[in-house]
Amino acid sequence: KMVGLAITSLVYFEGVPCTPLLDMMVLSEHSAALPFLHDEVTRQATRNKSHAVVAMMSRTTARRLAVFSAGFFRTPKLFKLIIKRLDESLSLNEFNDEKNWNLMWIDSDDN
């Protein structure tokens, strides 16, 4: 029974091999599985001979995925997310509530 998943790849940021965490999710009732998923991402990065696992996510997503307890740390670099609401039936409050998002991305302009 699948209760979560992580999507990774191998990229080179300024020549450094890294494993980007492109997406990660776990069913809320199985959040105890997060440490196992973190371990598997680490094993994948080791197999890829990566120097780091990198991810970009909202603060809410980082808390939900418990990435800081898995050894991730926050960088001082800030990013701004620019979004446009295309579905007017979605209230602005719902749309702006970060808790409703599962937001992860990667800055791959230099690949």
Side-chain angles (χ1 to χ4, degrees), residues 17-41:
C18 296
T19 295
L21 184 55
L22 303 171
D23 202 352
M24 184 179 205
M25 58 188 87
V26 174
L27 296 174
S28 57
E29 62 270 19
H30 293 280
S31 60
L34 275 169
F36 301 105
L37 199 50
H38 292 146
D39 289 346
E40 186 53 39
V41 168

